[in-house]
């Protein structure tokens, strides 16, 4: 309590970090060189740092329990927090390039663990460039869900190569997603929504979920409501464009 009173970055009423002390640019250039540690392979990811409740020490890592959900460009962590209580036994991680935003999510998760004993132990965040290092974190077929919520649209055609959904990056996502795994995308930019849907439709290892499957999936409802960006679009009465696809086995 004393720390909250003396630390201006912590809200006295909620015990959570104050977002205004962690503000950053809306997006970062994914092609620039940033300096942060990167595991040389998925087996070198230290789960005890991210999930101490499940892995008390690095020597006690249970190889049968691995990260299954990845929120790419997780922003301020709203989706992770919503998913945490919906899937309490599933390990999930947010991957964020901006250092201040990553630090905010770390502090937010730690505060939630303290104020809600036994909860939010299954979520974590890491600062990394997912466009470069996805295979360093996940094994073949490890993930069951990947999320790409309100990514940078990179409007200029010369910058389309920076888009986080692209034909060549879908090859990597198909590698780390198990068969039946799902990619969730949403944006408020119609052109980007058409781009992401087109990339997924034209990839031989993805197929769109049916209308019935979308309505039955509780996660779909969170795409537009769980994140700060989605809430802002809703407040402004904006449109959103979703594309939700399943990883399949390509037909010969």
């Amino acid at each position: 309590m004393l720390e909250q009173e003396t630390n201006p970055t912590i809200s006295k009423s909620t015990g959570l970090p104050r977002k205004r002390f962690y503000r950053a640019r809306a997006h970062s250039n994914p092609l620039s060189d940033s300096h942060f540690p990167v595991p040389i392979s998925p087996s070198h990811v230290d789960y005890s740092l991210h999930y101490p409740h499940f892995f008390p020490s690095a020597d006690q890592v249970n190889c049968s329990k691995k990260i299954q959900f990845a929120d790419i460009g997780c922003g301020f962590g709203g989706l992770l927090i919503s998913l945490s209580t919906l899937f309490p036994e599933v390990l999930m991680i947010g991957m964020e390039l901006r250092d201040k935003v990553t630090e905010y999510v770390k502090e937010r998760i730690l505060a939630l663990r303290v104020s809600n004993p036994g909860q939010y132990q299954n979520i974590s965040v890491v600062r990394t460039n997912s466009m470069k290092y996805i295979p360093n974190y996940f094994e073949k077929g490890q993930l069951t869900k990947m999320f790409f919520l309100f990514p940078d649209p990179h409007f200029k055609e010369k910058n389309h190569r920076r888009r986080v959904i692209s034909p060549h990056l879908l090859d990597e996502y198909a590698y780390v997603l198990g068969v039946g795994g799902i990619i969730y995308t949403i944006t408020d930019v119609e052109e980007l929504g058409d781009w992401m849907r087109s990339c997924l439709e034209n990839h031989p290892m993805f197929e769109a979920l049916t209308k019935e499957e979308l309505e039955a999936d509780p996660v779909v409802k969170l795409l537009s409501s769980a994140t700060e960006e989605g809430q802002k679009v809703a407040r402004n009465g904006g449109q959103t464009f979703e594309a939700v696809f399943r990883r399949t086995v390509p037909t010969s």
Side-chain angles (χ1 to χ4, degrees):
M1 191 64 182
L2 181 61
E3 181 184 355
Q4 291 178 20
E5 292 175 355
T6 58
N7 186 352
T9 66
I10 303 297
S11 168
K12 293 180 181 179
S13 59
T14 65
L16 297 174
R18 290 171 169 167
K19 198 175 294 177
R20 63 191 174 96
F21 288 98
Y22 298 87
R23 287 293 178 185
R25 294 179 62 183
H27 301 285
S28 292
N29 180 0
L31 301 185
S32 66
D33 290 324
S34 301
H35 301 285
F36 39 74
V38 177
I40 60 174
S41 75
S43 64
H44 289 83
V45 176
D46 189 349
Y47 276 52
S48 67
L49 294 177
H50 294 283
Y51 314 102
H53 175 78
F54 294 98
F55 308 96
S57 74
D59 298 330
Q60 296 177 338
V61 171
N62 179 0
C63 294
S64 65
K65 196 171 187 68
K66 296 185 182 297
I67 295 167
Q68 291 180 261
F69 294 3
D71 185 5
I72 309 302
C74 67
F76 290 98
L79 179 68
L80 284 173
I81 288 161
S82 296
L83 290 172
S84 178
T85 52
L86 197 59
F87 301 94
E89 294 302 314
V90 174
L91 299 186
M92 50 192 89
I93 197 162
M95 310 184 88
E96 175 59 53
L97 184 55
R98 295 167 292 173
D99 55 349
K100 286 185 178 180
V101 177
T102 306
E103 191 60 32
Y104 171 84
V105 179
K106 285 181 183 178
E107 295 295 332
R108 187 179 185 184
I109 292 171
L110 290 174
L112 285 168
R113 288 175 179 176
V114 171
S115 58
N116 301 272
Q119 290 186 297
Y120 305 105
Q121 300 290 341
N122 60 327
I123 56 175
S124 187
V125 66
V126 64
R127 185 184 180 218
T128 193
N129 187 337
S130 58
M131 290 180 66
K132 293 182 178 181
Y133 301 120
I134 283 281
N136 295 68
Y137 285 90
F138 310 118
E139 299 170 353
K140 181 179 180 179
Q142 177 177 330
L143 298 179
T144 59
K145 295 184 187 297
M146 294 184 77
F147 301 91
F148 302 83
L149 276 54
F150 301 98
D152 190 336
H154 292 296
F155 290 107
K156 295 179 180 179
E157 187 172 351
K158 68 177 183 178
N159 290 333
H160 285 183
R161 64 197 179 102
R162 299 180 182 179
R163 288 181 169 176
V164 73
I165 295 290
S166 66
H168 76 277
L169 284 174
L170 284 177
D171 291 342
E172 287 197 3
Y173 305 153
Y175 176 83
V176 297
L177 270 172
V179 173
I182 300 176
I183 275 187
Y184 299 82
T185 75
I186 188 172
T187 179
D188 60 331
V189 178
E190 186 172 9
E191 186 273 329
L192 178 61
D194 291 343
W195 164 281
M196 294 193 292
R197 177 173 290 278
S198 176
C199 288
L200 286 157
E201 285 176 341
N202 291 320
H203 196 284
M205 300 180 78
F206 290 100
E207 66 177 12
L209 268 65
T210 65
K211 180 180 178 182
E212 292 73 23
E213 288 172 325
L214 290 172
E215 291 175 349
D217 188 341
V219 174
V220 172
K221 300 175 180 64
L222 297 175
L223 300 183
S224 59
S225 63
T227 68
E228 181 188 59
E229 190 65 29
Q231 293 163 10
K232 183 167 66 176
V233 171
R235 284 195 304 270
N236 295 333
Q239 268 188 295
T240 57
F241 307 91
E242 300 174 1
V244 183
F245 281 67
R246 179 188 298 107
R247 160 78 157 84
T248 62
V249 177
T251 55
S252 56

